[in-house]
C-alpha cells in the first residue's frame, strides 16, 4: 500500500533539536533563516510511504547464535537480540518505508555547494519532515493492527541496537520500495533519497508496556485513524 501524507507544518523545537540547539541566543537573521528553511522544505517535500503486514512464521537462532524472527511470505528476517526482544510475543510485523522525495535531495545537494548554513538548516527541517512522515505511516500500521484486534509497540529501524544495516535491501525489496517510492541503496547501504526511513512495528495480541497511557503526547496523534471511531489503540 502506497500513501501520500499532507504535512503542512513541523515542530520547530524538533528542527532546533536536530540543529543542536541548547538554549543559545539566536540572531533575528538566524531565526528568519530557520523559518525560511522549514518553509522551503515543506513546499518542495513530497512525503510518501508504503507498508505491509507480515505474519510471524517462526523464531530461532542462526548457526552463529544470532537470534532471528522469520516473517511469512517474504525472505525478510529480523536479526539480532534487539529484534528478539522487540518482537517477543509478536504475531505479526508491520514493515514500512517513507521518503520526502528527490526534490529535497536535490535542494540539499545544491545548498552544499552554495550555502553551507542553509544546508544545515534545511537538513534539520528535512529530517523533521521525514520523521513526521514516518509517524503517519506508523499510524496506518497501528490502525490496520487495530482492525485485526492487535496492539502495537513502536517502530524500530535498521541500525538501531544490533539490528544490522544489511536488513535494508531485503526490507526494501519486500515493499517494492524502489518502484513504489523511488528509494535506492548505495553500496554502503545508505538510502537515496537520504531523507528516507525504514522501520518495523510489532503487532501483538495483548497491550504492550510501550503503548501510550493516553493519546496525549503520541507521535501518531495527528495521523490517527482510530480516535475518530471513538476507540483507541489500547482497546
Amino acid at each position: 500500500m502506497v500513501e501520500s501524507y499532507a504535512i503542512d507544518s513541523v515542530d520547530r523545537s524538533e528542527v532546533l533539536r536536530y540543529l543542536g540547539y541548547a538554549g543559545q541566543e539566536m540572531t533575528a537573521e538566524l531565526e528568519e533563516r530557520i523559518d525560511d528553511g522549514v518553509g522551503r522544505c515543506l513546499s518542495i517535500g513530497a512525503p510518501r510511504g508504503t507498508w505491509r503486514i507480515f505474519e510471524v512464521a517462526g523464531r530461532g537462532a542462526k548457526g552463529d547464535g544470532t537470534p532471528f524472527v522469520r516473517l511469512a511470505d517474504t525472505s525478510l528476517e529480523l536479526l539480532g537480540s534487539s529484534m528478539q526482544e522487540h518482537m517477543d510475543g509478536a504475531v505479526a510485523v508491520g514493515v514500512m518505508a517513507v521518503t520526502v522525495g528527490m526534490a529535497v535531495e536535490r535542494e540539499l545537494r545544491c545548498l552544499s555547494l552554495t550555502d553551507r548554513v542553509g544546508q544545515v538548516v534545511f537538513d534539520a527541517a528535512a529530517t523533521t519532515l521525514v520523521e513526521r512522515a514516518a509517524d503517519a505511516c506508523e499510524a496506518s500500521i497501528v490502525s490496520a493492527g487495530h482492525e485485526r484486534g492487535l496492539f502495537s509497540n513502536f517502530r524500530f529501524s535498521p541500525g538501531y541496537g544490533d539490528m544490522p544495516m544489511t536488513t535494508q535491501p531485503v526490507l526494501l525489496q519486500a515493499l517494492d520500495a524502489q518502484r513504489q517510492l523511488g528509494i535506492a541503496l548505495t553500496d554502503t547501504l545508505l538510502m537515496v533519497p537520504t531523507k528516507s526511513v525504514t522501520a518495523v512495528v510489532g503487532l501483538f495480541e495483548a497491550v504492550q508496556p510501550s503503548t501510550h497511557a493516553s493519546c496525549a503526547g503520541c507521535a501518531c496523534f495527528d495521523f490517527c485513524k482510530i480516535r475518530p471511531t471513538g476507540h483507541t489503540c489500547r482497546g
Side-chain angles (χ1 to χ4, degrees):
M1 179 176 296
V2 179
E3 301 174 329
S4 295
Y5 308 117
I7 302 174
D8 57 11
S9 66
V10 294
D11 187 339
R12 195 172 188 273
S13 66
E14 282 296 289
V15 177
L16 293 176
R17 183 172 70 86
Y18 287 121
L19 283 170
Y21 178 72
Q24 305 96 317
E25 184 176 349
M26 290 194 293
T27 64
E29 179 186 4
L30 181 55
E31 293 269 12
E32 183 177 356
R33 296 204 69 176
I34 291 172
D35 291 341
D36 289 346
V38 170
R40 174 66 174 162
C41 187
L42 290 170
S43 69
I44 67 173
R48 300 172 68 230
T50 185
W51 58 272
R52 288 184 63 187
I53 292 177
F54 298 96
E55 307 299 317
V56 171
R59 294 175 169 81
K62 299 289 189 180
D64 63 359
T66 301
F68 68 82
V69 178
R70 181 172 294 128
L71 305 183
D73 303 318
T74 177
S75 57
L76 177 61
E77 288 184 331
L78 308 179
L79 302 176
S81 299
S82 296
M83 280 295 95
Q84 181 183 45
E85 179 179 354
H86 196 64
M87 298 300 175
D88 184 26
V91 297
V93 175
V95 180
M96 57 178 276
V98 299
T99 186
V100 294
M102 281 303 297
V104 168
E105 187 75 9
R106 288 191 291 269
E107 183 79 356
L108 281 168
R109 291 177 181 174
C110 180
L111 289 171
S112 72
L113 299 173
T114 61
D115 182 358
R116 295 305 299 271
V117 173
Q119 179 200 13
V120 171
V121 171
F122 188 85
D123 184 89
T127 298
T128 307
L129 179 59
V130 76
E131 288 296 333
R132 289 298 282 154
D135 292 339
C137 192
E138 183 178 349
S140 294
I141 293 173
V142 173
S143 177
H146 176 78
E147 291 177 0
R148 296 173 51 176
L150 300 177
F151 305 91
S152 65
N153 58 8
F154 54 90
R155 67 179 181 264
F156 199 109
S157 294
Y160 291 3
D162 65 348
M163 186 183 186
M165 289 298 293
T166 50
T167 305
Q168 291 284 44
V170 190
L171 188 157
L172 292 170
Q173 183 180 30
L175 295 173
D176 194 17
Q178 182 163 8
R179 184 176 68 86
Q180 302 277 23
L181 300 177
I183 299 176
L185 283 177
T186 69
D187 292 341
T188 56
L189 302 180
L190 296 178
M191 288 184 286
V192 179
T194 53
K195 296 309 177 183
S196 302
V197 169
T198 59
V200 294
V201 180
L203 297 171
F204 306 79
E205 293 178 338
V207 176
Q208 296 301 290
S210 61
T211 301
H212 286 277
S214 70
C215 295
C218 177
C220 299
F221 182 90
D222 292 337
F223 309 103
C224 185
K225 301 175 182 179
I226 303 173
R227 282 186 304 106
T229 69
H231 301 278
T232 73
C233 66
R234 301 177 302 281

